[in-house]
Amino acid sequence: MTPPRQRGWLEVRWRQARNPPPPVLRAVAANLAVASIGGALLLAYELALSRGASLPGGDLRTPLVALYVAVVVFVGSLLTYLWVELPTGARGERRRSGWAAMLGLFAALPICYLTLVVIFQLVRPLLG
């Protein structure tokens, strides 16, 4: 009997990328949806300011970005908590755990950062 073939590093990573664990995929999807909506709102605010719109309160970009990160972390963690369930042996039994919310938190932080980079470093210069 021949031993199984050793896969290379790239082949292993490609297989992992094609078959992500459902809880991780759900956490990333929930956080990406919230971050995209919030990022679009931040971009609209930024474009309004750059085009000379007189908005009440003046320039609130810094507090709005802080609020954006807090909302994405909170709502993304909450959605992940509601969407990701612990596996059980019993059919039809649903259980949730704080670990699901923690998974959402750990997914939210890099997604917030990457969304802000894409919006303000790639999309914003294209829109002028």
Side-chain angles (χ1 to χ4, degrees):
M1 185 179 205
T2 61
R5 178 178 68 86
Q6 283 284 27
R7 291 188 172 115
W9 179 87
L10 185 60
E11 188 178 359
V12 170
R13 297 300 165 251
W14 179 249
R15 183 181 169 99
Q16 288 174 341
R18 287 183 311 156
N19 303 308
V24 173
L25 181 66
R26 290 174 181 171
V28 169
N31 284 299
L32 192 57
V34 174
S36 297
I37 293 168
L41 293 173
L42 279 175
L43 181 62
Y45 184 78
E46 170 75 23
L47 289 174
L49 282 179
S50 70
R51 296 208 169 112
S54 177
L55 300 172
D59 186 1
L60 299 173
R61 283 181 277 204
T62 303
L64 286 178
V65 168
L67 179 66
Y68 163 79
V69 171
V71 167
V72 171
V73 167
F74 178 75
V75 174
S77 296
L78 179 66
L79 287 176
T80 305
Y81 173 77
L82 295 174
W83 199 11
V84 175
E85 299 173 354
L86 288 174
T88 64
R91 186 170 208 122
E93 182 180 339
R94 296 179 147 188
R95 293 186 354 203
R96 290 184 174 81
S97 167
W99 289 108
M102 191 62 77
L103 176 65
L105 171 76
F106 288 138
L109 296 174
I111 287 175
C112 271
Y113 176 75
L114 290 174
T115 304
L116 288 172
V117 167
V118 167
I119 287 171
F120 290 109
Q121 297 296 319
L122 297 175
V123 176
R124 172 67 179 95
L126 292 175
L127 297 176

